[in-house]
Amino acid sequence: MFQKLLPSLSLALILTTTLTLSATSAMAQSNPLFTAFGEKAGIMQLVEDFHLRLLADARMAPHFKPVNAKNIKEQLTDQFCAVMGGPCVYKGADMKSAHSNLDIKKSDFNALVEVLQAAMDARGIPFSAQNQLLAKLAPMHRDVITVD
Amino acid sequence: MALCSVLLSTTAAQADTGKLLLTGGVSAISGAAGGGLTPWAVIGTNATRGELGFSAFATSASTQDYGLNVVGAALAYNERFEVSVARQDFDAGVAIALNGIAPFGITPGQHLLMDVLGLKVKLAGDAVLDSDTFMPQIAIGLEHKTVSPGSLGSVLNFLGTKTSGTDVYLSATKLFLAQGLLVNGTLRYTNANQNGLLGFGSAAPGKDGYSLMPELSVAYLLNKNWAIGAEYRAKPNNLQALGRAAGLGEALSEDDWKDIFVAWAPNKNLSVTLAYVDLGRIVPGVTAGRSQTGYYLSAQMAF
């Protein structure tokens, strides 16, 4: 009986692995935006550089210095990956709750976008791909900006 | 450590300007923020919500028979209100040929000067950030124009045109961010002839009243610093009927304006626009019916 089970299990394992692999690569293949950003690894590197630039920016540093670096980088990575339709789940707080007790003006929002653009430029992300990501993030201004 | 200090000093030296590059438009010849020929719904300068901004521009355009130089400035507050002024200097020297039709007494090298006072109020929407909806940014505005014709005043009297008028307009502007494509539609209520340079309205049987004129701009963002586009501006052609009735044929006909342009913004404070303009016929009676085509060059500083 074991002799019959082992080949079936192996076959099942091979099939599952193949299906998962092709699903992942299919997801990457059918998601040119996700690919343009270098998939999850690329997004992690982008966020790493983005975070450094935020801390170095005179306008943004006061907002980001008090925030736990590891957490924010994880959340940004998951969020960017998810809005691009990548295989990630954003587990952080919604934009409104995350920002409601902060003083964020429109100029702050615009400054963050500028810093993100600089980080994307540094990684050679094509202009069109940059704008596609920004197009997904821009509507968040309604929940992020707290000062009218 | 050293790298951090360099980064800090670089960012601290940047001007604290609120808007994203090229999203304030350039300066139209009327002084309003928008395309070169048309006011858009965007509020100009670099000021965003809660800020006060300033911009100034100079424009020069030249066609076969005419030249136009414009200087102006704008003040913007809270990304809601925009006040602009512009002084248009139109070289109409070729109009001296009108002395051959009647003793108008036009002096050589006559220029028409026109002052434009613009007011614009944003009503709704955000042209850039509302990228999850088709909702555009909407603004209403007015352009109060006063023309000083000099020795061409006798011509304007003959045409029965007034020397001042107020255009009222409604603009809707949207940047389709994912596609990098900006579209603007403007409806202008006007009785201006050639933008106002040939006065406002007309003696009968020309059209003296106001008409609703459509205007359209499209701009494609090539990259962060460059955009290309095209504009179209319909004109009321008020004087055509008057010209025909006076036995002058198409001498006073007016055509729609069009252009294709390229805009360059190396940073947030400077933008330069180069365009090829087709202004159609301008007083074709003295220009052998030629279509006025040529270049347009404009530079704007914004803070």
Side-chain angles (χ1 to χ4, degrees):
Chain A
M1 192 166 89
F2 253 56
Q3 280 107 343
K4 275 194 186 162
L5 192 58
L6 203 55
S8 310
L9 277 172
S10 312
L11 188 62
L13 185 63
I14 292 165
L15 277 169
T16 316
T17 314
T18 315
L19 277 168
T20 313
L21 276 170
S22 43
T24 314
S25 52
M27 203 178 281
Q29 270 166 9
S30 65
N31 191 337
L33 182 61
F34 189 55
T35 310
F37 275 85
E39 299 180 16
K40 180 125 189 219
I43 296 174
M44 280 176 70
Q45 286 168 3
L46 169 68
V47 166
E48 192 66 48
D49 181 38
F50 179 42
H51 186 249
L52 277 174
R53 288 171 184 271
L54 287 169
L55 294 178
D57 185 283
R59 304 164 295 182
M60 295 281 94
H63 292 289
F64 285 92
K65 279 217 166 76
V67 179
N68 180 290
K70 185 173 176 294
N71 288 348
I72 190 90
K73 281 188 280 189
E74 225 168 74
Q75 283 164 8
L76 283 168
T77 303
D78 285 339
Q79 191 178 64
F80 288 178
C81 174
V83 299
M84 285 184 215
C88 308
V89 178
Y90 173 67
K91 299 178 214 75
D94 65 277
M95 289 297 102
K96 208 170 182 98
S97 334
H99 299 91
S100 60
N101 62 332
L102 300 169
D103 241 349
I104 300 171
K105 307 191 292 285
K106 186 162 186 197
S107 57
D108 295 320
F109 188 85
N110 287 346
L112 182 118
V113 172
E114 267 176 38
V115 176
L116 179 55
Q117 284 178 312
M120 292 191 288
D121 281 344
R123 287 190 58 77
I125 312 275
F127 185 62
S128 169
Q130 292 192 24
N131 286 340
Q132 286 173 63
L133 173 61
L134 292 177
K136 296 267 194 269
L137 301 174
M140 294 176 185
H141 77 277
R142 298 177 200 122
D143 289 334
V144 169
I145 297 172
T146 56
V147 178
D148 207 27
Chain B
M1 195 63 171
L3 186 62
C4 283
S5 333
V6 168
L7 282 168
L8 272 167
S9 54
T10 313
T11 46
Q14 275 170 2
D16 198 351
T17 45
K19 280 215 193 71
L20 302 176
L21 211 55
L22 275 177
T23 57
V26 296
S27 295
I29 51 168
S30 63
L37 300 178
T38 293
W40 295 352
V42 297
I43 299 295
T45 81
N46 276 328
T48 187
R49 295 298 297 276
E51 296 177 350
L52 182 70
F54 171 77
S55 68
F57 76 96
T59 295
S60 183
S62 182
T63 62
Q64 284 80 355
D65 300 290
Y66 302 101
L68 179 70
N69 286 321
V70 192
V71 289
L75 212 58
Y77 175 64
N78 200 25
E79 214 162 23
R80 189 168 286 280
F81 302 105
E82 180 191 288
V83 179
S84 61
V85 290
R87 158 63 65 93
Q88 297 181 2
D89 182 340
F90 186 65
D91 182 351
V94 71
I96 196 165
L98 289 170
N99 284 341
I101 300 174
F104 285 119
I106 303 164
T107 55
Q110 181 63 58
H111 283 223
L112 287 160
L113 299 175
M114 187 164 85
D115 289 330
V116 185
L117 172 66
L119 294 173
K120 187 196 294 178
V121 179
K122 185 185 91 163
L123 297 177
D126 190 306
V128 178
L129 298 180
D130 285 344
S131 45
D132 57 347
T133 158
F134 280 108
M135 172 75 182
Q137 181 161 328
I138 299 172
I140 49 164
L142 63 84
E143 293 177 348
H144 178 68
K145 306 174 183 180
T146 311
V147 65
S148 306
S151 66
L152 280 162
S154 49
V155 177
L156 295 191
N157 284 337
F158 164 74
L159 296 174
T161 67
K162 297 177 229 10
T163 53
S164 77
T166 306
D167 292 354
V168 178
Y169 65 87
L170 181 72
S171 286
T173 311
K174 186 159 188 77
L175 170 66
F176 292 94
L177 186 48
Q179 292 77 18
L181 184 72
L182 182 143
V183 181
N184 174 82
T186 296
L187 270 177
R188 183 193 299 262
Y189 196 52
T190 181
N191 72 343
N193 305 314
Q194 294 300 359
N195 169 58
L197 294 164
L198 272 182
F200 301 81
S202 170
K207 187 165 189 204
D208 196 43
Y210 278 69
S211 329
L212 212 50
M213 294 285 112
E215 303 174 3
L216 182 69
S217 306
V218 291
Y220 178 66
L221 303 178
L222 291 170
N223 57 46
K224 197 159 69 162
N225 306 108
W226 291 86
I228 53 171
E231 294 184 285
Y232 175 85
R233 182 172 153 178
K235 311 286 271 341
N237 199 13
N238 298 323
L239 298 166
Q240 183 185 57
L242 177 64
R244 286 175 178 168
L248 300 170
E250 297 306 304
L252 299 176
S253 291
E254 171 183 56
D255 293 324
D256 301 336
W257 283 358
K258 320 176 190 84
D259 75 34
I260 52 171
F261 66 84
V262 53
W264 173 56
N267 57 56
K268 280 209 273 206
N269 302 114
L270 174 67
S271 71
V272 179
T273 307
L274 179 65
Y276 171 78
V277 294
D278 180 348
L279 306 180
R281 294 166 298 164
I282 302 179
V283 195
V286 299
T287 55
R290 274 189 290 274
S291 217
Q292 300 299 319
T293 58
Y295 78 85
Y296 163 111
L297 183 63
S298 183
Q300 181 204 83
M301 294 287 305
F303 303 95

